[in-house]
Amino acid sequence: MAVRLAVGLSLTAFMFVELYFVPTWVLALSISVLSVMSVLELLWFSGYIKNFVLIMVASLSAFLIPIWSYLNLPQVMIYFALFLLIVLLFVVSMASKKRRIPFDKLCAALFGATVIPWFLSAISRIAETPDGRFVLLLPFIAAFATDTFAYYFGMAIGRHKLAPVISPKKTLEGAIAGVIGSVLVAVIYGLIVAFFFKCNVNYLMVMLFVAAGSILSQCGDLSMSFIKRGFQIKDFGSIFPGHGGILDRCDSLLFAAPAFEIMLRLTTVVTQ
């Protein structure tokens, strides 16, 4: 547990520097790298797909989509590129020397090549909004504070299983503690922003946003747990001791980040 806590604190410090002290293009490039590593973990290291060419196609797409999003290129070009990617995946399947790739694996490659990078690139899109730098930490609070509170309170007071078939260790008590804990952390963060940056923070919206993001982050976590259960693996990787791989750390952001992007397009939580 000590190792898990130390790694978690180190990742938090690195994430804070990455979000607030580097140019947005560096953030977009970092998301591209995270997307590629997540795709590799999902498809290659899980043992689900071992076709090198197919993995390279999926990785290239995962790298380019966050850059595409950051450059704010026309949406129709993205759809056209995705159509070409689907065609390319089928061509790779038909041209495979050993055997054709099953349709379910093509779908998995397409999911990894498009959905993961597109959802994660919501982070850089949030950063580009007028108050993005102030609210950029909120989806991370919704994801990681939820995970932390749910983990420790689940172990301490958890009695009722949340999704025993998918993730036996997750409890309803932990899930509720995750939502409450993330909202409290978000309010504290709002107070810090208001004090140091002299901003007006809508605390009600902050609480609603983070509560919704917390619930969705747990849905993202359970979704990846469902996939891991299908692969019969515990973690997608082992790069972070006590935490698993890149995708194990990013899974809760997959739903939370785009949800925050949508909510921030509808209203604001910070005014200067």
Side-chain angles (χ1 to χ4, degrees), residues 111-143:
F111 170 83
T114 56
V115 175
I116 290 176
W118 183 249
F119 280 11
L120 288 180
S121 61
I123 298 169
S124 61
R125 293 193 294 272
I126 292 173
E128 288 297 306
T129 60
D131 297 318
R133 286 292 177 167
F134 297 110
V135 300
L136 190 55
L137 197 63
L138 290 180
F140 289 87
I141 290 175

Side-chain angles (χ1 to χ4, degrees), residues 131 135 138 200-203 205-206 209 264 267-271:
D131 297 318
V135 300
L138 290 180
N200 296 315
V201 178
N202 188 330
Y203 292 99
M205 295 308 300
V206 167
F209 274 31
L264 288 171
T267 185
T268 59
V269 296
V270 176
T271 56

Side-chain angles (χ1 to χ4, degrees), residues 159-182:
R159 296 294 182 270
H160 301 86
K161 300 298 182 181
L162 179 65
V165 176
I166 299 175
S167 186
K169 292 185 178 181
K170 287 182 172 59
T171 64
L172 180 60
E173 292 82 359
I176 295 173
V179 175
I180 296 174
S182 63

Side-chain angles (χ1 to χ4, degrees), residues 73-260:
L73 295 176
Q75 298 292 312
V76 65
M77 294 179 64
I78 296 180
Y79 299 137
F80 181 67
L82 294 180
F83 171 76
L84 291 180
L85 175 62
I86 295 173
V87 174
L88 184 56
L89 290 176
F90 277 101
V91 169
V92 169
S93 174
M94 291 184 291
S96 179
K97 294 181 180 180
K98 295 182 179 180
R99 60 184 178 86
R100 292 185 179 181
I101 303 171
F103 181 72
D104 61 325
K105 294 190 176 183
L106 286 174
C107 292
L110 185 62
F111 170 83
T114 56
V115 175
I116 290 176
W118 183 249
F119 280 11
L120 288 180
S121 61
I123 298 169
S124 61
R125 293 193 294 272
I126 292 173
E128 288 297 306
T129 60
D131 297 318
R133 286 292 177 167
F134 297 110
V135 300
L136 190 55
L137 197 63
L138 290 180
F140 289 87
I141 290 175
F144 298 148
T146 296
D147 181 64
T148 301
F149 279 91
Y151 178 78
Y152 288 107
F153 275 86
M155 288 196 306
I157 63 173
R159 296 294 182 270
H160 301 86
K161 300 298 182 181
L162 179 65
V165 176
I166 299 175
S167 186
K169 292 185 178 181
K170 287 182 172 59
T171 64
L172 180 60
E173 292 82 359
I176 295 173
V179 175
I180 296 174
S182 63
V183 169
L184 291 176
V185 173
V187 170
I188 294 172
Y189 172 69
L191 292 171
I192 294 173
V193 168
F195 179 79
F196 285 101
F197 298 99
K198 309 303 179 184
C199 298
N200 296 315
V201 178
N202 188 330
Y203 292 99
L204 176 60
M205 295 308 300
V206 167
M207 290 188 289
L208 291 176
F209 274 31
V210 174
S214 175
I215 295 171
L216 288 171
S217 74
Q218 295 186 66
C219 291
D221 192 356
L222 287 172
S223 297
M224 290 299 108
S225 295
F226 178 77
I227 294 176
K228 285 186 285 187
R229 181 71 60 178
F231 288 159
Q232 296 183 343
I233 57 176
K234 182 179 183 294
D235 295 312
F236 286 112
S238 57
I239 190 172
F240 302 127
H243 291 263
I246 296 290
L247 191 53
D248 293 297
R249 285 292 79 211
C250 294
D251 55 6
S252 53
L253 274 174
L254 288 179
F255 289 6
F260 267 88

